[in-house]
């Protein structure tokens, strides 16, 4: 009841706000509503008085909606309680505009503006669209007069044509006799064509030069460039966190990886005794939300599976156990969850102490030439997880003997060897018999010609335990090697070349191409930089083609803050050279990310292809639009976890039932709906196979808009991808 009292107090605070309930006469200043957050409040800690009461003051957002207030409480005796209460925010007269997620330059669309009059009396309203240079009204509409009866809602259609790319604002004002309102919303206008991302990353060493190229056929005005400077490894963790959160997260491993960087943040703050209350609170929030989400993927009988359907997956469950064990250091994880997960894994173990890989059952024999190697990897990974979760060494004795049965000289694959090293160290970090494996791992490293970079790769082009291939497999392998060598404090090991190589592999979003490779790379960066960075003042100078464009002075208290320099206004077609000078001896890494759009063309990959079919003729408002997508694996290998991004163009709404039907038929494994796109997950595509499916949209407003490109890629190896070009969709007004 006291938790409900908090919700009532917040509602009473809203009722007393004069801005929300006051009448506004025509001609007076109208308050513009422009603050629309998705989360109104997050307070990880609220201490009550001795009677269990607390008062919380907050500013409400401008949304006319019903918020869901969720409160969790715990007493000094350890008793817990939870409640969810609605928090209604309302005013009797308001205006709203329904903007699409994005628009494309050149689009023409009719925007619906809704006017809500819940006053007990009728009123005439003057509706005004604030002019802006990014759009043109298709008709001369300065002021539209709308007459509304009491408790009436009317929709006014405002046709516009989009002129400029960028982030813009659209404002509508409704002035009435009794009460007035105004709203300002933000929209992103994209360039036409297909977006292309490029990136260059590395370590600053004196005056560092970076080459940037923009093709001559890039669409005018589409080029953008950002230079990011990372004064410490911790800034890499923060950006890696953002990169993972920005990726699809529809399965267990993806959701898990979205939580993991927050654990690394909390660990770093505690280890370095860094005070950052806001950052710590935000990290705890995501850990809390991630933990609740991950529980939904546990299957009956124990263990976890990618989409929460039995049977459980051993490798995935081991990954979850490691995360839950790490999470328990900073967050109250149910110990019964950890114990039953541990016991489930132990029940899957063979008599010789090993675990079979997922490709065959507990009693099946080898099904591939490298079956023994894959069993060794699976055993090492699960043993590493159980050892990290403080499993009794006596229980793990026969597993450790199984690992030691494979001699270092007989292991030619660096990924397998790095996994074995980490497992042996987790089971007994002080054992002398690990040393030969670490020595062997060092000999398998590759080096750049100048010896400034060092890395490890998988042999024979095989995938990792989490389906990483190509570059992502090399990132995982290198990160695992660094983790093993740092854990053992191996003599004569130089970590900096390996860390320098990892930094150079970053993707344009600030991560390492996939969730598993990003988490491992972040762990390796923090393991290889145990000490807190120097905190003195620093100065950076940035030149573009010999011209000084930016001098950046970073004060001492900003040593853990990523510095971002927008170079977009200097980008031109052709070749450019960017030079960065750092006036200090502290280690700093950089990333130059630039992008541009090219004309709409298909880009089919070596393995994957995608085709998306749209209606050619104009579609009337209210008509269903059926979209057909064909995704194919043209290679002779399995394609695990393909993810497709399919467009929901402006002017259309997704028919969710048509996608749910695909899940029920097991055509797709899962889906997510994001602004402007439908994300579809497939478990796998067999060699030289394809899947065809339809999804449906409803045309809701007249428009002539660009249809964005469709794309498909392997989640754990995004370099394997394909793009289908977009097109144009015409929605005409319905002729009644």
């Amino acid at each position: 009841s006291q938790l409900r009292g908090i919700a009532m107090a917040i509602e009473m605070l809203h009722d007393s706000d004069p801005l929300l309930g006051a009448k506004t006469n025509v001609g007076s200043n109208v308050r513009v509503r422009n603050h629309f957050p998705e989360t109104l409040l997050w307070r990880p800690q609220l201490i009550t008085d001795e009677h269990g009461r607390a008062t919380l003051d907050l500013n409400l957002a401008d949304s006319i909606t019903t918020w869901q207030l969720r409160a969790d409480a715990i007493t000094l005796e350890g008793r817990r309680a939870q409640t969810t209460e609605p928090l209604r925010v309302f005013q009797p007269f308001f205006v709203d505009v329904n903007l699409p997620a994005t628009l494309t330059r050149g689009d023409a669309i009719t925007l619906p503006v809704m006017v809500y009059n819940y006053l007990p009396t009728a009123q005439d309203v003057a509706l005004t669209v604030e002019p802006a240079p990014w759009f043109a009204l298709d008709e001369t509409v300065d002021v539209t007069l709308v007459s509304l009866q009491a408790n009436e809602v009317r929709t006014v259609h405002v046709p516009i044509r989009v002129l400029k790319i960028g982030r813009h604002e659209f404002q509508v004002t409704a002035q009435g006799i009794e009460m007035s309102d105004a709203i300002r919303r933000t929209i992103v206008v994209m360039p036409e064509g297909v977006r292309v991302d490029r990136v260059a990353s590395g370590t600053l060493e004196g005056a560092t030069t970076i080459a940037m190229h923009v093709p001559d056929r890039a669409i005018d005005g589409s080029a953008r460039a950002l230079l990011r400077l990372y004064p410490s490894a911790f800034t890499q963790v923060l950006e890696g966190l953002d990169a993972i959160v920005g990726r699809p997260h529809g399965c267990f491993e993806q959701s898990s990886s979205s939580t993991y960087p927050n654990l690394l943040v909390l660990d770093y703050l505690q280890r370095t005794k860094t005070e950052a209350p806001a950052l710590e609170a935000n990290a705890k929030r995501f850990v809390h939300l991630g933990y609740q989400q991950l529980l939904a993927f546990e299957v009956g009988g124990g263990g976890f599976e990618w989409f929460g359907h039995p049977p459980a997956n051993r490798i995935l469950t081991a990954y979850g156990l490691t995360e839950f064990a790490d999470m328990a250091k900073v967050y109250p994880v149910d110990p019964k969850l950890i114990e039953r997960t541990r016991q489930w894994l132990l029940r899957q173990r063979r008599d010789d102490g090993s675990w079979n890989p997922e490709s065959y059952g507990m009693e099946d024999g080898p099904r591939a030439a490298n079956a023994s190697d894959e069993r060794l990897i699976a055993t090492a990974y699960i043993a590493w997880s159980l050892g990290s979760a403080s499993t009794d060494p006596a229980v793990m004795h026969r597993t450790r003997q199984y690992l030691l049965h494979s001699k270092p000289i007989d292991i030619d694959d660096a990924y397998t060897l790095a996994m074995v090293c980490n497992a042996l160290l987790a089971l007994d970090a002080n054992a002398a018999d690990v040393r030969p494996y670490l020595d062997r791992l060092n000999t398998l490293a590759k080096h750049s010609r100048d010896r400034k970079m060092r890395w490890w790769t998988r042999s024979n082009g095989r995938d990792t335990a989490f389906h990483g291939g190509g570059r992502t497999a090399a990132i995982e392998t290198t990160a695992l090697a660094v983790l093993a060598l740092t854990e053992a404090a191996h003599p004569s090991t130089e970590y900096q070349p390996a860390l320098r190589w990892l930094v150079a592999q970053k993707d344009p979003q600030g991560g390492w191409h996939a969730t598993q490779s990003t988490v491992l790379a972040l762990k390796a960066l923090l393991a290889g930089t145990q000490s807190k960075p120097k905190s003195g003042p620093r100065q950076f100078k940035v030149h573009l083609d010999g011209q000084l464009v930016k001098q950046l002075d970073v004060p001492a208290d900003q040593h853990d803050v990523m510095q971002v320099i927008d170079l977009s206004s200097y980008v031109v077609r052709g070749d450019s050279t960017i030079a960065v000078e750092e006036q200090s001896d502290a280690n700093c890494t950089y990333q130059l990310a630039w992008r541009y759009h090219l004309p709409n063309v298909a880009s089919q990959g070596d393995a994957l292809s995608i085709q998306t079919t749209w209606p050619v003729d104009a579609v009337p408002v209210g008509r269903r639009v059926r979209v057909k997508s064909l995704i194919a694996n043209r290679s002779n290998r399995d394609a695990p976890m393909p993810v497709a991004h399919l467009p929901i163009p402006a002017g259309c709404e997704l028919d969710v039932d048509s996608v749910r039907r695909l899940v029920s038929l097991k055509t797709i494994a899962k889906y997510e709906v994001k602004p402007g796109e439908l994300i579809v997950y497939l478990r796998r595509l067999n060699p030289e196979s394809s899947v065809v499916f339809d999804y449906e949209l409803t045309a809701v407003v007249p428009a002539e808009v660009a249809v964005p490109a469709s794309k498909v890629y392997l989640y754990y190896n995004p370099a394997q991808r394909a793009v289908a070009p977009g097109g144009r969709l015409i929605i005409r007004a319905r002729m009644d």
Side-chain angles (χ1 to χ4, degrees):
S1 63
Q2 288 163 3
L3 292 173
R4 272 192 205 94
I6 295 176
M8 294 172 63
I10 296 175
E11 190 161 11
M12 285 166 38
L13 177 65
H14 155 71
D15 292 338
S16 66
D17 188 342
L19 289 175
L20 295 179
K23 295 180 181 180
T24 306
N25 295 325
V26 176
S28 65
N29 291 327
V30 181
R31 179 176 180 270
V32 180
R33 295 183 293 114
N34 60 4
H35 180 49
F36 304 103
E38 294 187 5
T39 300
L40 177 61
L41 171 75
W42 166 255
R43 185 62 60 88
Q45 180 174 292
L46 182 65
I47 300 175
T48 68
D49 61 18
E50 65 272 18
H51 303 292
R53 296 186 177 90
T55 300
L56 181 62
D57 295 334
L58 76 157
N59 294 321
L60 288 171
D62 289 327
S63 308
I64 308 297
T65 187
T66 298
W67 297 91
Q68 289 297 318
L69 171 67
R70 171 170 170 162
D72 298 271
I74 187 168
T75 68
L76 293 176
E77 296 80 18
R79 296 193 303 167
R80 302 184 67 177
Q82 182 185 95
T83 188
T84 301
E85 298 291 338
L87 173 58
R88 184 169 178 257
V89 178
F90 180 75
Q91 63 187 38
F93 176 80
F94 59 96
V95 63
D96 203 356
V97 57
N98 188 7
L99 292 179
T102 61
L103 287 169
T104 302
R105 181 171 55 186
D107 283 353
I109 188 169
T110 299
L111 300 177
V113 176
M114 290 74 68
V115 189
Y116 299 81
N117 182 37
Y118 294 111
L119 294 167
T121 58
Q123 74 166 347
D124 293 329
V125 177
L127 198 66
T128 306
V129 176
E130 187 76 16
W134 69 271
F135 71 89
L137 292 170
D138 273 7
E139 300 174 3
T140 304
V141 184
D142 294 328
V143 177
T144 300
L145 297 178
V146 183
S147 296
L148 294 110
Q149 299 299 315
N151 297 311
E152 184 182 6
V153 179
R154 291 278 297 276
T155 299
V156 176
H157 299 283
V158 179
I160 68 168
R161 183 170 293 276
V162 180
L163 305 176
K164 293 185 177 182
I165 62 176
R167 191 176 185 87
H168 305 295
E169 293 179 334
F170 188 82
Q171 179 175 323
V172 180
T173 301
Q175 289 190 315
I177 300 298
E178 293 293 323
M179 191 174 177
S180 300
D181 186 43
I183 189 169
R184 183 190 303 131
R185 291 192 180 274
T186 302
I187 188 167
V188 175
V189 177
M190 303 295 295
E192 56 272 33
V194 177
R195 174 170 161 171
V196 178
D197 288 283
R198 295 286 184 253
V199 65
S201 302
T203 303
L204 294 180
E205 297 176 353
T208 301
T209 59
I210 315 163
M212 178 172 64
H213 176 75
V214 177
D216 291 337
R217 63 192 185 100
I219 290 175
D220 185 43
S222 67
R224 296 288 184 271
L226 289 177
L227 176 65
R228 301 181 179 97
L229 302 175
Y230 309 94
S232 71
F234 185 55
T235 56
Q236 308 261 15
V237 173
L238 295 180
E239 193 185 29
L241 187 156
D242 291 338
I244 287 185
V245 170
R247 296 182 189 275
H249 51 276
C251 77
F252 175 86
E253 190 271 339
Q254 296 156 9
S255 301
S256 176
S257 296
S258 298
T259 306
Y260 229 128
N262 291 285
L263 301 178
L264 301 179
V265 167
L266 295 173
D267 175 70
Y268 175 89
L269 295 177
Q270 293 178 7
R271 177 162 48 83
T272 61
K273 297 181 173 58
T274 300
E275 294 291 334
L279 182 60
E280 182 178 358
N282 201 45
K284 287 183 177 179
R285 172 196 175 197
F286 280 106
V287 169
H288 172 81
L289 296 175
Y291 177 59
Q292 300 299 324
Q293 186 177 11
L294 293 175
L295 295 178
F297 293 94
E298 188 176 15
V299 303
F304 292 83
E305 197 270 340
W306 263 275
F307 299 102
H309 305 302
N313 183 286
R314 292 184 285 277
I315 295 293
L316 190 71
T317 301
Y319 179 70
L321 177 62
T322 301
E323 182 174 17
F324 289 132
D326 288 344
M327 190 184 296
K329 301 171 185 176
V330 295
Y331 180 83
V333 175
D334 184 359
K336 294 180 180 178
L337 170 66
I338 293 178
E339 184 56 28
R340 67 173 175 264
T341 303
R342 189 199 333 259
Q343 292 301 323
W344 184 87
L345 283 170
L346 289 172
R347 288 197 300 272
Q348 311 303 306
R349 187 168 54 171
R350 294 162 54 94
D351 291 341
D352 63 356
S354 69
W355 281 266
N356 271 329
E358 296 299 329
S359 57
Y360 37 85
M362 289 294 294
E363 302 303 328
D364 290 350
R367 296 185 181 178
N370 61 346
S372 59
D373 289 344
E374 297 306 314
R375 179 177 290 128
L376 182 59
I377 291 172
T379 301
Y381 189 86
I382 297 172
W384 184 24
S385 172
L386 288 165
S388 301
S390 303
T391 304
D392 186 351
V395 175
M396 300 299 296
H397 176 72
R398 56 190 167 115
T399 294
R400 196 171 190 280
Q401 294 305 117
Y402 176 87
L403 295 173
L404 291 170
H405 181 72
S406 297
K407 303 304 180 185
I409 194 63
D410 296 329
I411 305 177
D412 296 323
D413 176 42
Y415 178 80
T416 305
L417 188 58
M419 196 72 80
V420 169
C421 288
N422 279 292
L424 292 174
L425 289 166
L427 298 178
D428 188 352
N430 299 315
D433 51 15
V434 183
R435 185 68 60 192
Y437 293 86
L438 297 166
D439 293 338
R440 171 69 170 159
L441 182 61
N442 258 325
T443 66
L444 295 180
K446 300 179 183 295
H447 299 269
S448 60
R449 289 184 178 180
D450 58 7
R451 311 291 289 187
K452 290 184 177 180
M453 290 193 183
R454 188 169 188 247
W455 67 96
W456 289 260
T457 61
R458 282 224 73 176
S459 63
N460 302 322
R462 286 180 286 165
D463 291 346
T464 67
F466 279 88
H467 310 300
R471 178 184 298 184
T472 54
I475 293 170
E476 288 185 46
T477 303
T478 302
L480 287 167
V482 171
L483 287 171
L485 295 170
T486 53
E487 175 67 23
H490 192 266
S492 70
T493 297
E494 174 59 68
Y495 308 127
Q496 200 59 40
L499 300 181
R500 190 179 291 118
W501 183 87
L502 284 172
V503 168
Q505 310 311 307
K506 295 184 71 173
D507 63 29
Q509 288 71 45
W512 278 265
H513 305 277
T515 51
Q516 190 69 205
S517 49
T518 296
V519 168
L520 288 173
L522 292 175
K523 280 188 167 185
L525 282 171
L526 289 179
T529 52
Q530 291 289 336
S531 60
K532 197 170 182 177
K534 297 179 181 180
S535 57
R538 309 171 80 163
Q539 184 183 86
F540 301 90
K541 291 182 179 180
V542 181
H543 294 78
L544 193 146
D545 292 333
Q547 176 187 356
L548 179 66
V549 295
K550 184 73 174 180
Q551 178 173 310
L552 188 64
D553 294 297
V554 181
D557 60 354
Q558 300 291 307
H559 64 272
D560 267 342
V561 178
M562 177 180 65
Q563 307 295 326
V564 181
I565 302 172
D566 190 346
L567 300 175
S568 300
S569 59
Y570 301 99
V571 178
V572 295
R573 290 187 178 96
D575 295 317
S576 301
T577 300
I578 296 171
V580 185
E581 299 178 25
E582 181 186 6
Q583 305 299 316
S584 79
D585 59 352
N587 183 47
C588 182
T589 57
Y590 70 86
Q591 182 191 66
L592 176 67
W594 72 98
R595 68 174 190 263
Y596 47 84
H597 282 63
L598 294 177
N600 243 332
V601 293
S603 173
Q604 305 300 342
D606 297 334
L608 298 176
S609 66
I610 182 171
Q611 298 176 19
T612 307
T613 306
W614 290 84
V616 177
D617 299 327
V619 177
V621 169
R623 178 73 58 84
R624 291 288 182 92
V625 178
R626 176 165 290 182
V627 184
K628 182 178 179 180
S629 189
L630 185 153
I631 300 171
N633 175 15
R634 303 183 299 180
S635 73
N636 59 2
R637 300 178 59 184
D638 277 350
M641 196 69 75
V643 180
H645 291 243
L646 306 171
I648 304 174
C652 294
E653 291 181 352
L654 176 67
D655 177 12
V656 179
D657 287 339
S658 68
V659 189
R660 289 177 180 150
R661 178 179 57 85
L662 297 174
V663 177
S664 65
L665 294 173
K666 297 185 178 181
T667 306
I668 64 175
K670 196 171 181 178
Y671 70 92
E672 286 183 79
V673 181
K674 293 291 184 70
E677 67 175 354
L678 168 67
I679 303 176
V680 169
Y681 297 84
L682 305 173
R683 287 185 179 275
R684 68 176 56 247
L685 280 174
N686 293 326
E688 299 178 346
S689 67
S690 62
V691 60
V692 181
F693 58 86
D694 298 339
Y695 66 99
E696 292 186 345
L697 309 169
T698 301
V700 292
V701 295
E704 183 178 347
V705 295
V707 176
S710 306
K711 63 181 179 181
V712 63
Y713 57 91
L714 298 184
Y715 191 87
Y716 297 102
N717 187 8
Q720 294 292 339
R721 61 192 296 116
V723 177
R728 301 291 294 179
L729 177 66
I730 300 175
I731 305 173
R732 57 178 172 81
R734 185 169 50 196
M735 304 297 293
D736 294 329

